[in-house]
Amino acid sequence: MGAAETTRTRRRAIPWLLLALWIGVLAVVSPFASKLGDVQHDRVTDYLPASADSTQVAKIQDQLPGGQTTELVLVYHRDGGLTAADRQTAARQVETVAGRHELTGTPRAVPSRDGTTVMYPVASNEPGTDEKKRDALVDDVRGVAHDQDGLTVQVGGPGALSTDASDVYQSLGGPLLYTTVAVVAILLILIYRSPLLWLVPLVVVGMADYLSTGVAYGLHQAFGTTVSGQSTGIMTVLVFGAGTDYALLIVSRYREELRRHERPYDAMRAALRGCGPAVLASSGTVAAGLLCLLAADLNSSRGMGPLGTVGVLCALVAMLTLLPALLVLSGRRVFWPLVPAFGSTPKARRSLFAAMGSSAGRRPLTVLASGAVLLGALALGALNLPGTVKQQDSFVDKPESVAALETLAKAYPERSAQPIDVITPADRAGATLTAIRGTHGVASAQQGRTGEGWTEISVIASAPPQSAAETATIKDLRDTLKGSYVGGPSAQQIDLEDTNARDRLIVVPIVLASVLLILIALLRSLVAPLMLVAAVVAVWGAALGIGGLVFGPVLGFEGTDPGLGLLSFVFLVALGVDYGIFLMHRMREESLNGAEPAAAALTALRTTGGVIASAGLVLAATFAVLTNMGLVQLVELGFVIAVGVLLDTFLVRTYLVTSASVALGRRVWWPGRLSRRPDPVRPERQPEPV
């Protein structure tokens, strides 16, 4: 009797100890979590490929006298033609800017041929590499250069574009977090239909998100991991999406076990024993898939891998420790008004997933073929994806810097509105300048700063920015100028495209191999993992195809982010396999308990279908939050992942994987021991009445 009482006392103490441990951990992490925003940077070098010419240019520019140059263009325009007063206003405003800031050189007016526009290129080393100082400089220049008496004044150029992009990234933190919390809260209330239960997983996932920010800061301090607005935003979405998915699975199994066990502690132990391996394996696939991004050469992709992994692992730890502790301490009453009483039987009803499973089980090959044809047809839409998005088209709402670029493109069709930066060894500056001026497509070239053994040359192309002609000029310069580096905004876009193409060839096979190995270890089979991976790859193709039908024709986007294919593949494969793990793990559990293959597949769908549907809706909704952000690349990524998750949840897992499992029978577990059990002799099936 004494031993039993001691055991009960120990069991009652464990949840309190876990809660105290979490409070202590969050207290330790708190000072670091608040510092993550201080190390978040959205500089060019944080997104560029590590080994590209344009990256080397940006790094060397930081070392030149004055540091990194902030290049701006002040654009003065009047539709009917500039008046003498307009030109005086422009000169006066530029003079004021020059008096308030340290500029490199004297700004000179460049009038357009049609007389409607005059531009003043302005450059300053005053901010250096400090983004806040750069943004303050741009804001101050915009405060000085403002519209007056019908004269339109716009501040553009690379520096203004960077500031406008930074404003969007800085706005991700608050709105993204609040919107994600609201979406998850609403969905949990609808799923649980309880005034109390939804709060528990939401509080836990919020603590996991706070923990992830502190760990991410520590990772940056220890290893120099790149922290950008994009990666921190994705980390938040992953914590809430994946964490809530794990909570749904654990709570569902816990509710099931509460009917079989009198004590909540015993019910939670049984629940974790039953679904714990699936949760561990699913988080392992996501973490492994994201860590594969470390093989990418693109800084933004490589930095996203560790931060995304931190988010997923923090969510996993919280859901396997803090969530069970809070649920056990809350007891059965947390499920009110639908309290699962001990010894009770859930109300029998014909569920949607039972009906869907029955239809898939009756004609598995027909369902499988129809689904494959549908996914293949949707994937053809990828052929309609627009080309690579230009820098000025990467904003959902047009900022002032983009409006300035458009004004310059119309007023100066004979020249580029943004420079090409060439960095060359100082002892070869003269020869390099001569070679540049002799290159086809170059309108002008001017030698700039010299320092640290390098000289900067600013080149203006005769073609519009990021046009095919300007791209040809940049490639000609790189072919001609051996030992020099060619960078600038247009060169950066070229490097982004080339590097993303290279990263796809390297990262995609690594992701597939790592996910397959985890699935093989979990399911003890080769056929089932191959089936699941093939399914998520088909979903990825179909989701991209739907994007091709929507981005241009419906949303009016002028291009596609070069990294969309790789990032959407990593996320959809890693996250999509989660639901396959939930389903197949339950199917294997039923098979080990003696169920026949078809019955095991249908039982697994009936018992996990609701959880998978709820988890899919939550995950899709959290990624859909990105479609409300101000950058085209985030909107496209959020759309493709959300659509892919919905396809995976309501078509692939429900119909195709179930149909394939029924059609394959025990062969789905080959070469594991489950595949070697002979099928029993079944009575001949009577034809169903029509």
Side-chain angles (χ1 to χ4, degrees):
M1 189 69 179
E5 183 64 30
T6 301
T7 301
R8 283 196 294 269
T9 302
R10 187 183 300 115
R11 289 178 176 179
R12 283 195 295 267
I14 289 176
W16 288 109
L17 288 175
L18 286 173
L19 182 59
L21 179 63
W22 264 92
I23 293 174
V25 168
L26 291 178
V28 171
V29 166
S30 181
F32 305 104
S34 60
K35 295 180 180 179
L36 185 63
D38 298 335
V39 299
Q40 175 182 316
H41 296 290
D42 294 291
R43 298 170 301 184
V44 172
T45 50
D46 295 321
Y47 288 85
L48 288 176
S51 60
D53 263 28
S54 51
T55 308
Q56 301 306 315
V57 168
K59 289 180 178 179
I60 294 173
Q61 283 177 330
D62 293 346
Q63 303 169 10
L64 292 176
Q68 188 175 10
T69 302
T70 299
E71 297 173 332
L72 304 175
V73 180
L74 278 61
V75 183
Y76 296 85
H77 173 82
R78 187 185 291 272
D79 289 335
L82 294 173
T83 64
D86 292 337
R87 293 186 177 87
Q88 292 174 0
T89 298
R92 185 169 59 252
Q93 290 185 356
V94 172
E95 184 179 354
T96 302
V97 170
R100 296 173 64 161
H101 299 283
E102 297 177 8
L103 304 183
T104 57
T106 302
R108 296 180 179 179
V110 182
S112 64
R113 292 178 180 176
D114 60 7
T116 62
T117 310
V118 63
M119 70 171 176
Y120 285 84
V122 171
S124 174
N125 305 127
E126 190 176 82
T129 58
D130 191 309
E131 293 176 60
K132 293 182 179 179
K133 290 183 179 179
R134 178 203 64 198
D135 296 342
L137 168 66
V138 174
D139 291 340
D140 187 70
V141 171
R142 283 175 170 169
V144 173
H146 54 82
D147 295 353
Q148 187 169 332
D149 299 329
L151 175 67
T152 301
V153 185
Q154 298 162 330
V155 178
L161 269 174
S162 298
T163 293
D164 290 336
S166 177
D167 289 343
V168 175
Y169 280 120
Q170 292 297 330
S171 70
L172 289 181
L176 179 64
L177 177 62
Y178 305 144
T179 307
T180 304
V181 170
V183 167
V184 172
I186 292 170
L187 288 174
L188 287 176
I189 292 172
L190 295 175
I191 290 168
Y192 287 138
R193 291 172 291 170
S194 166
L196 301 174
L197 183 57
W198 66 275
L199 270 172
V200 180
L202 189 63
V203 168
V204 173
V205 80
M207 291 184 176
D209 182 59
Y210 193 70
L211 174 64
S212 69
T213 57
V215 176
Y217 176 79
L219 203 65
H220 170 80
Q221 294 298 103
F223 302 103
T225 305
T226 299
V227 179
S228 65
Q230 185 183 44
S231 60
T232 54
I234 295 294
M235 183 178 72
T236 295
V237 169
L238 277 173
V239 172
F240 276 87
T244 307
D245 278 6
Y246 304 150
L248 288 169
L249 187 66
I250 293 170
V251 171
S252 174
R253 191 63 178 259
Y254 177 54
R255 186 199 295 266
E256 195 177 318
E257 297 296 339
L258 279 172
R259 301 183 188 277
R260 303 189 184 106
H261 298 82
E262 184 177 2
R263 301 179 188 279
Y265 181 88
D266 296 331
M268 182 56 73
R269 283 187 63 186
L272 292 177
R273 195 180 302 117
C275 67
V279 173
L280 285 170
S282 63
S283 62
T285 57
V286 178
L290 290 172
L291 284 177
C292 292
L293 287 171
L294 287 171
D297 190 34
L298 197 65
N299 277 347
S300 55
S301 297
R302 194 171 63 253
M304 192 180 297
L307 262 65
T309 302
V310 164
V312 170
L313 294 182
C314 287
L316 171 70
V317 172
M319 295 307 159
L320 290 182
T321 57
L322 182 58
L323 177 67
L326 292 178
L327 288 174
V328 169
L329 291 174
S330 302
R332 297 176 187 271
R333 59 185 177 274
V334 76
F335 288 93
W336 186 86
L338 304 175
V339 179
F342 172 59
S344 65
T345 303
K347 184 179 178 181
R349 59 183 179 180
R350 179 70 169 171
S351 71
L352 170 65
F353 295 98
M356 297 170 78
S358 298
S359 64
R362 282 195 300 270
R363 300 178 182 83
L365 293 178
T366 302
V367 172
L368 191 60
S370 301
V373 170
L374 175 60
L375 290 176
L378 290 174
L380 293 176
L383 300 174
N384 195 48
L385 284 170
T388 302
V389 64
K390 296 180 180 179
Q391 192 175 22
Q392 62 264 32
D393 296 327
S394 61
F395 298 90
V396 175
D397 298 319
K398 186 189 303 181
E400 182 179 339
S401 57
V402 174
L405 274 177
E406 293 177 350
T407 301
L408 291 172
K410 293 178 182 177
Y412 302 86
E414 74 284 355
R415 60 175 290 160
S416 176
Q418 59 187 17
I420 301 168
D421 298 324
V422 175
I423 296 292
T424 189
D427 57 356
R428 300 210 311 260
T432 302
L433 187 60
T434 301
I436 291 172
R437 288 171 175 167
T439 302
H440 178 72
V442 172
S444 64
Q446 181 177 336
Q447 184 171 322
R449 298 172 293 167
T450 297
E452 301 296 328
W454 298 96
T455 294
E456 180 184 44
I457 299 175
S458 181
V459 181
I460 298 297
S462 57
Q466 297 180 32
S467 62
E470 190 201 38
T471 299
T473 300
I474 292 172
K475 291 182 177 180
D476 287 344
L477 287 172
R478 286 179 168 175
D479 291 338
T480 303
L481 306 177
K482 301 301 181 183
S484 301
Y485 299 109
V486 180
S490 297
Q492 291 162 12
Q493 289 298 109
I494 296 172
D495 291 336
L496 286 174
E497 290 183 57
D498 294 343
T499 307
N500 272 293
R502 173 260 179 201
D503 286 349
R504 282 195 297 271
L505 294 176
I506 293 177
V507 175
V508 167
I510 298 176
V511 171
L512 292 176
S514 61
V515 169
L516 267 175
L517 289 175
I518 292 174
L519 290 176
I520 291 170
L522 175 71
L523 301 177
R524 310 291 197 276
S525 165
L526 287 177
V527 175
L530 288 171
M531 178 178 70
L532 292 179
V533 170
V536 293
V537 171
V539 165
W540 170 69
L544 274 182
I546 295 175
L549 301 175
V550 171
F551 293 156
V554 178
L555 300 180
F557 292 161
E558 298 293 334
T560 307
D561 179 53
L564 176 64
L566 176 63
L567 293 180
S568 61
F569 179 85
V570 172
F571 284 115
L572 281 178
V573 169
L575 295 170
V577 167
D578 273 13
Y579 304 135
I581 289 174
F582 296 162
L583 182 66
M584 297 300 292
H585 185 266
R586 188 58 181 260
M587 192 185 304
R588 188 172 188 275
E589 191 178 336
E590 295 294 330
S591 298
L592 288 172
N593 291 333
E596 296 305 315
L602 299 181
T603 301
L605 178 61
R606 186 177 65 252
T607 54
T608 64
V611 180
I612 291 176
S614 301
L617 284 173
V618 170
L619 188 62
T622 52
F623 271 97
V625 170
L626 292 176
T627 63
N628 196 39
M629 299 299 108
L631 291 174
V632 167
Q633 53 263 43
L634 292 180
V635 174
E636 292 176 341
L637 183 63
F639 178 88
V640 170
I641 295 177
V643 168
V645 168
L646 292 177
L647 282 175
D648 193 70
T649 303
F650 294 102
L651 174 63
V652 174
R653 301 294 149 222
T654 311
Y655 278 114
L656 303 191
V657 171
T658 302
S659 299
S661 301
V662 171
L664 288 170
R666 296 193 183 280
R667 292 185 296 274
V668 76
W669 304 114
W670 184 88
R673 64 186 180 90
L674 285 175
S675 66
R676 295 191 290 272
R677 291 184 183 179
D679 289 323
V681 178
R682 299 182 183 178
E684 185 178 351
R685 183 176 175 182
Q686 298 296 321
E688 297 181 4
V690 177

